[in-house]
Amino acid sequence: MKLQSMRRTVVLVAAALWLGVSISPVEAATIWQPGATSMWYEATLPQAEAQEFTATTTLGEKEPVVVALWAEEELGPVRLTVDFPTEVEIRLVGFERRTIEGDALGIPFWLWPRQEENSFVGHENKATAGANVAWWLTIPAREKPGTLAGTVRIHLPDGQTISRPLLVEVLPIRLPRADIAFGLYFNEHLVPEYARTDEWQLAIYRDMADHGHTTVTFYDYGDWSQLPPVNSRMWHNLPLAKQAGLIHSDIPCMALLSSIAKIATDDETVAWLNAQCQENGWPELLGYGPDEPNAPEEAWKALPVLEKIHGHGMRIVTAINHLGVGYVGQLIDVWVLSMKYLGPGVLKWADHWDKEVWTYGIDHRASNARWNRQYAGLFTWGWGLKGNCPWAYTTDKRYALYPDGSGSSGISNGFVLPTPDGIVTSVGWEGRREGIKDYRAFQMLEKLLEQAQGPEAVQARQFLADTSTRVQDTDFWHGHEDTDYYWDRPDTHDIYTDSQLDVASVRAKALTFIHKLQ
């Protein structure tokens, strides 16, 4: 929504109050459905009232539905209930106050889970004048195709209820698991002390797997002078990650080992480690080299380490940009390239040197569902990348809530917020799950087209080719307006402004082709 429209809304509401215009509670409320990964804010005016709430999903997948109430005047506490064949998770959309070019915006951010009937971790469902109150519904996965019907009800303070049908279509399509590395940097030492248990670790890994991820980073400070290693968190956590369904034998994991120089150069240790991974069905472990050797002095410092550890049976990975690739790229097997610097030139060098390319970023916020969906899905698929691993699942112990009421839920580029009651997720984290589903739809369509013939197959191939070209022709980063926070550049922007790259319609088209070809 344009900032001018927000100002217009405030003026209209103020005028109505000044003139003494009385609006009945139902007339004062507009019920609407923002797209779960569309760009909307606390003050976004509804384009149209929702006569029903709808969603389309595939077999075995959770699906988001956003329900919003726009209030023309102060309504006070409101309550939402859902009648549906299966239990629907209801969370309250929290808005974070942000100043963009001098204008205050309420940007969707954390999704506060329900504690009691009308309590969401201390946040109220309060409808205030000139603003939205919104709920994020998660429709549970279904194993049978068909249409499910239910009812959404919003209960107003005066006893009136606004009801709308909820219709969810489950397509007869089962998307495959992603065949590349979708993960996050995650250092368990950055979560609060109360979350450093096996129960928490397993819950975190399950949350990652539930959001479509296929890999995770292991930070390890153990003693590798003997085998098995002593006090190795990686060695402890590998079985938990497998139990959670997060890791797979065909998708590598990054291992950030404090003893990388010793481990990677010890042929006996590498051979033992590789044998253990194969025997237990664990993934290949990529040894993490010096991080971000991008400036000349950093690359020069990293050079002797990389020369020492390269070529001993353990593939080496690190985060790097296009300049670092030029300095030391030949000594690194997997380039985790900054999202800002991906392009045809660096990919040609990767192909020339037979390197695998992943992507990462730190210049993002979990308050933009659309941007995170685009980055995980269209961007990753369109550039043909083998991994997408931004920083970070959690970033700092300060960004968590504590039993004594301390902590912060404020500015952070982490995707989740640890609390004593469990993980609180963000709209960006949910958007990332949708992006991985987009990738999986393209992956499935490509697989079907390996054998498919006929006019539908011709159209589908052209659709994929056109979409890939549009993705690569779009400047993912540069040219966007800066916000008042250095890593927030994408917070109020779509990546792909081309209407033919609208994420929801692109996935819908891919699913239509899949349905016809399978």
Side-chain angles (χ1 to χ4, degrees):
M1 175 182 169
K2 301 293 186 184
L3 297 178
Q4 292 88 339
S5 298
M6 297 178 196
R7 298 191 189 101
R8 173 175 163 270
T9 301
V10 173
V11 170
L12 289 174
V13 173
L17 294 174
W18 182 73
L19 292 171
V21 177
S22 177
I23 306 175
S24 68
V26 173
E27 291 174 341
T30 301
I31 310 301
W32 64 296
Q33 182 177 0
T37 55
S38 63
M39 300 293 290
W40 64 284
Y41 308 105
E42 187 177 28
T44 296
L45 281 167
Q47 296 300 309
E49 183 153 356
Q51 300 306 310
E52 61 186 17
F53 290 92
T54 61
T56 300
T57 187
T58 54
L59 297 170
E61 302 293 338
K62 295 180 178 180
E63 190 67 24
V65 174
V66 179
V67 175
L69 180 148
W70 164 266
E72 294 285 350
E73 64 178 28
E74 194 83 19
L75 297 181
V78 294
R79 184 167 58 91
L80 180 136
T81 58
V82 178
D83 294 328
F84 202 67
T86 53
E87 185 175 355
V88 173
E89 182 183 17
I90 303 173
R91 289 175 288 175
L92 182 69
V93 178
F95 296 98
E96 182 179 316
R97 296 293 178 273
R98 305 282 297 289
T99 302
I100 311 296
E101 297 180 334
D103 289 280
L105 296 181
I107 296 181
F109 196 5
W110 300 117
L111 300 176
W112 298 106
R114 172 172 284 181
Q115 288 183 316
E116 300 173 0
E117 185 178 32
N118 201 37
S119 172
F120 292 80
V121 192
H123 292 72
E124 288 186 304
N125 301 301
K126 192 173 182 180
T128 57
N132 287 292
V133 57
W135 299 266
W136 188 287
L137 313 185
T138 301
I139 309 299
R142 302 287 293 184
E143 296 300 329
K144 293 183 179 180
T147 300
L148 300 172
T151 305
V152 171
R153 294 186 175 90
I154 298 179
H155 307 271
L156 302 177
D158 66 351
Q160 296 189 69
T161 300
I162 305 172
S163 300
R164 295 289 187 273
L166 172 61
L167 303 175
V168 179
E169 182 184 8
V170 183
L171 300 174
I173 295 170
R174 187 176 299 278
L175 299 177
R177 185 251 297 164
D179 60 359
I180 66 168
F182 279 106
L184 295 170
Y185 284 82
F186 170 58
N187 186 342
E188 62 182 297
H189 295 87
L190 298 180
V191 301
E193 284 74 8
Y194 64 72
R196 297 181 190 178
T197 66
D198 284 357
E199 182 181 8
W200 261 90
Q201 194 75 15
L202 187 59
I204 287 170
Y205 286 158
R206 282 176 172 157
D207 181 48
M208 293 177 180
D210 184 59
H211 284 76
H213 290 72
T214 57
T215 189
V216 68
T217 53
F218 293 105
Y219 286 74
D220 189 88
Y221 307 97
D223 177 7
W224 285 76
S225 63
Q226 57 183 294
L227 300 175
V230 178
N231 297 323
S232 168
R233 292 303 300 172
M234 180 179 75
W235 205 247
H236 181 84
N237 289 335
L238 273 164
L240 294 177
K242 184 180 179 182
Q243 180 183 344
L246 173 61
I247 59 174
H248 310 273
S249 60
D250 60 329
I251 296 179
C253 290
M254 293 190 286
L256 289 86
L257 307 165
S258 60
S259 305
I260 180 65
K262 176 191 183 304
I263 296 169
T265 57
D266 188 319
D267 293 341
E268 181 181 347
T269 299
V270 171
W272 178 86
L273 189 56
N274 291 339
Q276 290 294 311
C277 289
Q278 186 171 3
E279 180 180 329
N280 290 286
W282 297 338
E284 174 192 8
L285 297 172
L286 305 174
Y288 202 89
D291 190 45
E292 296 183 332
N294 300 328
E297 60 274 15
E298 294 165 346
W300 184 253
K301 184 178 178 181
L303 183 62
V305 179
L306 291 169
E307 287 179 331
K308 181 178 181 181
I309 65 178
H310 182 258
H312 287 270
M314 173 181 272
R315 289 202 296 162
I316 304 303
V317 60
T318 200
I320 198 166
N321 70 10
H322 60 310
L323 298 177
V325 161
Y327 297 134
V328 293
Q330 292 186 68
L331 299 173
I332 300 168
D333 303 291
V334 180
W335 301 347
V336 188
L337 277 163
S338 169
M339 66 175 94
K340 301 179 190 179
Y341 304 113
L342 264 165
V346 72
L347 292 179
K348 286 179 181 177
W349 280 109
D351 185 62
H352 178 71
W353 285 334
D354 193 26
K355 304 300 181 182
E356 191 170 305
V357 179
W358 297 11
T359 180
Y360 83 108
I362 61 171
D363 304 287
H364 62 266
R365 284 272 287 169
S367 49
N368 188 329
R370 186 177 183 85
W371 189 90
N372 281 288
R373 177 177 180 175
Q374 291 169 326
Y375 176 52
L378 279 180
F379 180 85
T380 303
W381 172 82
W383 283 104
L385 306 177
K386 297 300 182 182
N388 180 303
C389 297
W391 171 273
Y393 187 71
T394 57
T395 61
D396 195 301
K397 288 183 289 186
R398 292 175 298 170
Y399 300 116
L401 301 184
Y402 289 84
D404 63 1
S406 65
S408 172
S409 60
I411 296 170
S412 161
N413 48 358
F415 282 94
V416 306
L417 180 72
T419 79
D421 296 315
I423 289 292
V424 171
T425 69
S426 61
V427 296
W429 185 230
E430 303 303 326
R432 188 164 168 81
R433 168 160 51 192
E434 295 307 301
I436 294 172
K437 286 196 286 188
D438 294 340
Y439 178 93
R440 293 162 60 204
F442 280 97
Q443 171 189 327
M444 184 175 184
L445 181 54
E446 286 179 318
K447 188 68 175 177
L448 288 171
L449 288 173
E450 290 177 2
Q451 304 295 330
Q453 301 295 326
E456 287 291 347
V458 171
Q459 292 177 29
R461 290 188 182 98
Q462 189 61 52
F463 162 69
L464 291 179
D466 291 345
T467 303
S468 178
T469 298
R470 285 194 171 92
V471 168
Q472 295 191 23
D473 284 347
T474 300
D475 189 337
F476 179 76
W477 187 260
H478 302 92
H480 292 171
E481 300 171 15
D482 282 316
T483 70
D484 294 354
Y485 307 91
Y486 80 94
W487 59 69
D488 286 353
R489 186 175 302 217
D491 228 14
T492 53
H493 296 279
D494 296 339
I495 302 165
Y496 304 117
T497 54
D498 182 341
S499 62
Q500 296 186 61
L501 284 178
D502 173 74
V503 282
S505 60
V506 166
R507 187 208 289 175
K509 193 166 185 178
L511 292 176
T512 298
F513 280 123
I514 290 170
H515 192 219
K516 292 177 179 178
L517 293 171
Q518 70 176 358

